[in-house]
């Protein structure tokens, strides 16, 4: 019998989530999320997409910040006539018919819901429908711009991606929310693994531990290995396969840059996971100028330091197997 979440939603198993994505696909899925709003998710998604497109890759970026979609603005595109609302309400039958071209060659967008507040709370079948139909899109890379916070929608799309990228700001509240986001993804991912259902209470106990406690999620593996070695090694394999990526946005000082390395150490010590620090984005007033002008940042201000920042980040992502 499948587990039921507190919202009454049947919990995806991790195998079910991944089975919705075509196993024979030739495209990669990158998801960009974050613990809170305003940390630069759409900025990162838009400009990573542009970098990939300028390198000759076919890219489709999907705005999954349902109810607050604004990725089109970062890409210099008016609100598209057809959005995910049309697909999820069955006004439009095919996902590929929602694709809107951008001014950048090789780069297209599927806009999020603009006119239906209720659509922000996707049902399981809607998530499955979107993931299972991504193969309709002609793309080498599909980028998902996720909503803020830790709703199941956001967590499940993050887990389904080949690369999960988290953006944060070098300030305490943003960093705290980033840890909360990583912890929520981690917890959700482990709870989805059907083979680990019998140790669900142990997982819950470890995840509810405060960061100052002696018993942390990193201790969970050893505890399970003592009880059930086979189960413990399965758990360790799942944890080893979870490698979120990190981008620090609006960096002004070297200490801001170093926050990424500190977060990497804490994630290893507390969660037992490897956080891959991709790099940082300099604070630059041209970001807001480009948004006001409704022009893509990298094209409007090609001499900005951010061009070099994004170039380094994209090359690091492309090197990850």
């Amino acid at each position: 019998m499948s587990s039921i979440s507190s919202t009454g939603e049947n919990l995806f198993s991790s195998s079910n989530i991944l089975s919705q994505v075509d196993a024979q696909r030739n495209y990669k899925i990158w998801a960009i999320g974050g613990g809170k709003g305003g940390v630069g998710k759409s900025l990162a998604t838009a400009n990573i997409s542009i970098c990939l497109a300028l390198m000759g890759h076919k890219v489709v970026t999907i705005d999954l910040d349902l109810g607050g979609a604004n990725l089109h603005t970062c890409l210099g595109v008016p609100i598209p006539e057809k959005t995910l609302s049309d697909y999820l309400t069955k006004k439009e039958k095919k996902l590929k018919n929602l694709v809107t071209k951008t001014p950048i060659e090789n780069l297209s967008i599927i806009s999020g819901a603009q006119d239906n507040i209720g659509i922000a709370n996707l049902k399981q079948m809607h998530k499955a429908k979107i993931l299972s139909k991504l193969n309709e899109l002609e793309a080498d890379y599909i980028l998902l711009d996720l909503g803020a916070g830790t709703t199941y929608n956001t967590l499940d799309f993050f887990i389904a991606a080949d690369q999960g990228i988290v953006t944060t700001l070098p300030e305490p509240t943003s960093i705290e929310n980033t840890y909360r986001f990583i912890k929520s993804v981690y917890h959700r991912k482990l709870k989805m693994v059907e083979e680990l259902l019998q140790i669900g209470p142990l997982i819950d106990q470890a995840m509810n531990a405060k960061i100052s406690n002696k018993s942390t999620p990193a201790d969970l593996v050893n505890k399970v290995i003592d009880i059930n070695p086979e189960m413990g090694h399965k758990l360790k394999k799942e944890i080893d396969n979870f490698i979120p990526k990190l981008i620090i946005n609006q960096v002004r000082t070297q200490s801001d840059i170093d926050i990424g390395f500190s977060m990497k150490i804490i994630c290893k010590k507390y969660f037992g996971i490897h956080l891959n620090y991709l790099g940082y984005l300099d604070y630059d007033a041209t970001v807001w100028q480009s948004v006001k002008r409704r022009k893509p940042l990298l094209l409007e201000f090609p001499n900005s330091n951010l061009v070099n920042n994004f170039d380094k980040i994209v090359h690091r992502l492309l090197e990850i197997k």
Side-chain angles (χ1 to χ4, degrees):
M1 183 178 293
S2 61
S3 300
I4 305 296
S5 75
S6 59
T7 59
E9 174 188 322
N10 285 331
L11 226 75
F12 277 167
S13 71
S14 59
S15 58
N16 283 343
I17 277 191
L18 297 176
S19 70
Q20 303 300 335
V21 183
D22 186 356
Q24 304 301 317
R25 61 195 166 92
N26 295 317
Y27 57 87
K28 295 290 185 182
I29 303 171
W30 293 357
I32 295 88
K36 60 181 289 188
V39 296
K41 293 184 301 299
S42 294
L43 171 76
T45 306
N47 290 288
I48 290 172
S49 299
I50 291 171
C51 285
L52 289 169
L54 293 177
M55 295 169 82
H57 301 292
K58 287 187 177 179
V59 184
V60 176
T61 148
I62 304 178
D63 195 339
L64 285 169
D65 188 354
L66 304 174
N70 62 5
L71 181 61
H72 59 279
T73 304
C74 296
L75 291 173
V77 177
I79 298 176
E81 291 183 12
K82 294 181 180 179
T83 71
L84 278 174
S85 296
D86 299 300
Y87 183 62
L88 298 175
T89 57
K90 300 184 179 179
K91 291 180 183 177
E92 184 55 65
K93 297 290 174 75
K94 292 187 175 291
L95 190 65
K96 66 180 181 180
N97 292 342
L98 305 179
V99 173
T100 299
K101 290 185 178 180
T102 73
I104 300 100
E105 187 177 359
N106 296 323
L107 177 58
S108 301
I109 181 175
I110 293 179
S111 184
Q114 298 286 339
D115 54 3
N116 189 335
I117 295 175
I119 212 76
N121 301 307
L122 285 183
K123 295 179 180 177
Q124 177 180 333
M125 67 177 194
H126 288 145
K127 281 181 277 193
K129 184 179 181 183
I130 292 171
L131 288 171
S132 66
K133 297 302 180 183
L134 292 179
N135 58 2
E136 291 182 7
L137 308 177
E138 293 184 15
D140 300 313
Y141 291 91
I142 296 175
L143 271 67
L144 309 179
D145 182 13
L146 304 179
T150 56
T151 65
Y152 284 160
N153 291 339
T154 300
L155 302 182
D156 290 346
F157 283 120
F158 193 90
I159 289 168
D162 299 295
Q163 303 288 354
I165 304 161
V166 185
T167 60
T168 192
L169 300 179
E171 59 182 41
T173 56
S174 183
I175 293 166
E176 287 171 14
N177 278 293
T178 300
Y179 283 131
R180 189 173 296 117
F181 179 83
I182 292 172
K183 182 176 180 179
S184 297
V185 176
Y186 185 54
H187 192 186
R188 176 82 166 157
K189 180 177 172 62
L190 293 184
K191 293 282 282 186
M192 286 176 176
V193 181
E194 292 174 1
E195 297 145 322
L196 302 179
L197 286 179
Q198 60 183 285
I199 61 167
L202 277 179
I203 292 173
D204 291 340
Q205 182 182 352
M207 289 300 166
N208 289 329
K210 293 183 179 179
I211 203 160
S212 58
N213 284 15
K214 292 181 180 180
S215 179
T216 68
D219 299 322
L220 178 62
V221 173
N222 293 331
K223 188 180 293 186
V224 174
I225 287 176
D226 288 341
I227 298 170
N228 185 328
E230 183 181 357
M231 188 74 66
H233 290 299
K234 285 180 180 177
L235 175 63
K236 186 177 187 305
K237 183 179 178 182
E238 288 296 326
I239 292 172
D240 289 343
N241 287 336
F242 178 50
I243 308 176
K245 317 300 182 294
L246 175 69
I247 295 172
I248 306 285
N249 186 25
Q250 295 186 22
V251 159
R252 299 172 190 256
T253 65
Q254 183 61 45
S255 62
D256 288 346
I257 295 171
D258 292 342
I259 286 171
F261 299 110
S262 298
M263 293 180 71
K264 183 182 174 82
I265 292 169
I266 290 172
C267 279
K268 185 63 179 176
K269 182 178 179 180
Y270 177 67
F271 295 117
I273 63 174
H274 176 63
L275 178 68
N276 190 329
Y277 182 24
L278 293 175
Y280 60 89
L281 302 174
D282 287 301
Y283 176 84
D284 196 327
T286 58
V287 171
W288 316 117
Q289 293 176 45
S290 67
V291 171
K292 286 179 181 178
R293 298 181 189 182
R294 295 179 177 269
K295 300 287 186 181
L297 170 72
L298 294 194
L299 302 186
E300 189 72 359
F301 298 99
N303 297 319
S304 165
N305 287 340
L306 290 169
V307 174
N308 187 45
N309 295 158
F310 277 113
D311 184 63
K312 288 180 179 178
I313 286 169
V314 170
H315 276 87
R316 284 173 187 149
L317 281 164
L318 290 172
E319 289 167 5
I320 297 169
K321 302 300 181 184

